[in-house]
Amino acid sequence: MVDLAEEMDNPMFRSDTVLSDVHLHCPSKRHLMVRLNAVGQPVFLSCFKLLWSTGDLASGKDVREITTGREHQSRSGGELCDKDRRNIKKEGKLNSEGVEALLDDDGDLDVVRRPRSASDLEAEDPLRDIVCPVILMKGKEGAFEDEDQECTWSDVVKIEHTMATPLEDVGKQVWRAAFLLADYMLFKRDMFRCCSMLELGGGTGITSIIMGMVARRVYCTDVGEDLLAMCEQNVALNKHLMEAGGGEVKVKELDWLKDEFCTDPEAPYSWSEEEIADLLDHCSVIMAADVFYDDDLTDALFRTLYRITHNLRNSCTVYLALEKRLNFTLRHMDVTCEAYSHFRNTLSDLENIQDGKMKYTVEPIKLDFCQFLVYERIEQL
């Protein structure tokens, strides 16, 4: 039996620990620890809010109808289009929640202090909710029922994830580029409707799950049985969202360091011959989000991209999203982003391939599309 209290008192931070701060900005009032995974890492359950319901998605409403109908909800969540931000900047400053900040005569933030009396739990309308971590047993239903009565299950994606891991387990965390990629595909969802898609490095599966609400079939791939089990659990948690649009997500193993699909029937997330044939015959979209953090893995990803696209029956579009993470290095004595530089160089090499078999063109996508998920869209995305 594992002592959860002891595990929480002794977090496993090491010199190579990486932390995603997405959970700091997601709309859940609490992050519920549901279990420890196979390697002893705390696993949390969080809700990530959609800015419309799956009914809007299934009805095929035009994106302008949805964004107009949800304008008030979007603004209250602080998720605004660039056009909205420019208009509001003329009127005043916004805080992280999209609410106009109060400034004093010198332009400094005028912070309203919380009165001591409001700290009483029995106060009728405290200025700030008291938030406490909650530990649940895995499988307990209705954990979020009292979180927000206005938040229905058709408006949220439930994701199990970790909050801090060693570098080799970063797929167990939730990263911003996954939301950015999902935002774009929802904005252009008529283009992706009924497509067959492949995600490389799907991690927790959040992008594949959201695209499962639009596409016909999504193959969400990664490597590592513990990670794939978490991803499969997330797909099960959100099955009702995908069923509304008639889509499905299949969780499969795909190791970029190997030249073939895993077809071992004894492996839990292996491919059948029928699934491989379906992928190669029908896949028209490949996507990957926040997978460019290690040069060797970046090289392996591009080799995998070349191998798969070379065997596809139809032409394919690849969508890559990432966050440029700037770091000060002693080697350069400057702030750099070496992983991003290597990614750009490798992308250029792919574009310049002249082997007579494949031709790649690369185009940047402007980030002027609206947000359909509540998260912090920063400049480095």
Side-chain angles (χ1 to χ4, degrees):
M1 182 173 179
V2 179
D3 187 345
L4 295 182
E6 181 179 350
E7 290 291 338
M8 295 296 287
D9 290 338
N10 299 282
M12 297 180 298
F13 287 99
R14 308 185 318 200
S15 60
D16 63 343
T17 294
V18 290
L19 170 68
S20 167
D21 64 353
V22 166
H23 64 281
L24 298 176
H25 302 280
C26 84
S28 296
K29 292 181 180 178
R30 295 181 292 181
H31 299 275
L32 307 178
M33 179 179 165
V34 291
R35 60 187 171 90
L36 295 177
N37 62 19
V39 294
Q41 297 161 340
V43 175
F44 294 83
L45 178 66
S46 294
C47 285
F48 297 95
K49 187 170 178 59
L50 294 165
L51 297 181
W52 78 91
S53 68
T54 52
D56 295 329
L57 204 62
S59 65
K61 284 187 179 180
D62 184 84
V63 65
R64 286 165 294 185
E65 296 180 41
I66 295 176
T67 52
T68 300
R70 301 280 172 165
E71 182 178 10
H72 175 71
Q73 182 180 16
S74 176
R75 287 172 184 267
S76 65
E79 311 307 323
L80 305 171
C81 300
D82 289 342
K83 181 178 179 182
D84 293 330
R85 291 190 181 97
R86 287 194 296 269
N87 291 338
I88 296 178
K89 281 181 180 178
K90 297 177 182 178
E91 303 173 5
K93 300 289 184 180
L94 292 180
N95 64 14
S96 61
E97 296 184 351
V99 181
E100 186 173 354
L102 299 177
L103 305 179
D104 61 19
D105 294 338
D106 298 326
D108 299 320
L109 183 64
D110 188 9
V111 179
V112 179
R113 300 296 178 184
R114 182 183 181 187
R116 291 182 180 274
S117 58
S119 62
D120 187 353
L121 286 173
E122 298 180 358
E124 294 183 359
D125 187 19
L127 299 182
R128 187 194 312 172
D129 293 333
I130 295 179
V131 180
C132 303
V134 175
I135 298 176
L136 300 181
M137 295 299 294
K138 181 180 178 182
K140 182 175 180 180
E141 298 295 333
F144 285 97
E145 287 180 358
D146 61 343
E147 287 294 298
D148 190 346
Q149 296 298 327
E150 297 179 0
C151 180
T152 65
W153 286 124
S154 64
D155 295 324
V156 298
V157 179
K158 294 179 286 184
I159 295 293
E160 285 193 4
H161 62 98
T162 59
M163 291 186 181
T165 63
L167 188 62
E168 62 267 21
D169 285 335
V170 291
K172 296 175 183 177
Q173 299 188 55
V174 180
W175 302 93
R176 289 190 187 91
F179 292 105
L180 183 74
L181 184 57
D183 263 346
Y184 176 75
M185 292 187 165
L186 289 176
F187 186 71
K188 296 283 188 179
R189 70 186 181 282
D190 288 340
M191 187 166 60
F192 302 109
R193 198 177 297 279
C194 298
C195 285
S196 183
M197 309 174 72
L198 168 68
E199 182 174 13
L200 301 175
T204 62
I206 187 167
T207 304
S208 286
I209 289 167
I210 292 170
M211 287 318 302
M213 297 159 58
V214 176
R216 177 178 66 89
R217 180 171 295 124
V218 182
Y219 290 97
C220 181
T221 68
D222 216 308
V223 66
E225 186 173 339
D226 193 40
L227 173 58
L228 291 171
M230 174 185 286
C231 183
E232 188 173 56
Q233 167 70 1
N234 288 332
V235 171
L237 285 172
N238 297 280
K239 188 176 181 180
H240 61 289
L241 299 178
M242 293 169 282
E243 287 177 342
E248 68 171 333
V249 175
K250 292 192 172 187
V251 179
K252 297 294 174 182
E253 177 183 333
L254 184 57
D255 190 340
W256 306 340
L257 300 178
K258 297 179 180 178
D259 294 333
E260 301 293 338
F261 292 95
C262 175
T263 56
D264 181 1
E266 299 297 323
Y269 299 98
S270 63
W271 298 72
S272 68
E273 295 297 334
E274 292 78 12
E275 289 167 337
I276 295 175
D278 175 64
L279 175 72
L280 298 181
D281 288 345
H282 300 106
C283 180
S284 59
V285 175
I286 298 177
M287 55 184 176
D290 255 333
V291 295
F292 306 104
Y293 56 89
D294 178 89
D295 291 354
D296 292 336
L297 288 179
T298 296
D299 293 339
L301 171 65
F302 277 99
R303 287 195 298 269
T304 301
L305 274 178
Y306 179 83
R307 174 173 57 85
I308 292 177
T309 53
H310 177 67
N311 291 309
L312 292 179
R313 174 172 292 186
N314 303 306
S315 60
C316 180
T317 305
V318 182
Y319 293 91
L320 306 175
L322 73 159
E323 179 181 338
K324 290 185 284 187
R325 294 177 175 84
L326 303 173
N327 296 289
F328 179 84
T329 63
L330 293 176
R331 183 156 62 93
H332 294 93
M333 293 302 292
D334 197 3
V335 176
T336 62
C337 187
E338 294 184 273
Y340 177 74
S341 299
H342 185 77
F343 158 74
R344 291 294 305 183
N345 292 335
T346 311
L347 189 63
S348 178
D349 292 341
L350 185 72
E351 188 177 19
N352 293 328
I353 287 179
Q354 297 180 355
D355 59 2
K357 299 177 181 178
M358 300 288 294
K359 180 180 179 181
Y360 298 88
T361 58
V362 178
E363 298 178 8
I365 295 176
K366 292 183 179 179
L367 304 186
D368 56 355
F369 47 91
C370 293
Q371 289 188 219
F372 294 91
L373 290 148
V374 177
Y375 68 101
E376 185 188 33
R377 187 183 288 184
I378 61 176
E379 294 180 0
Q380 289 74 28
L381 282 173

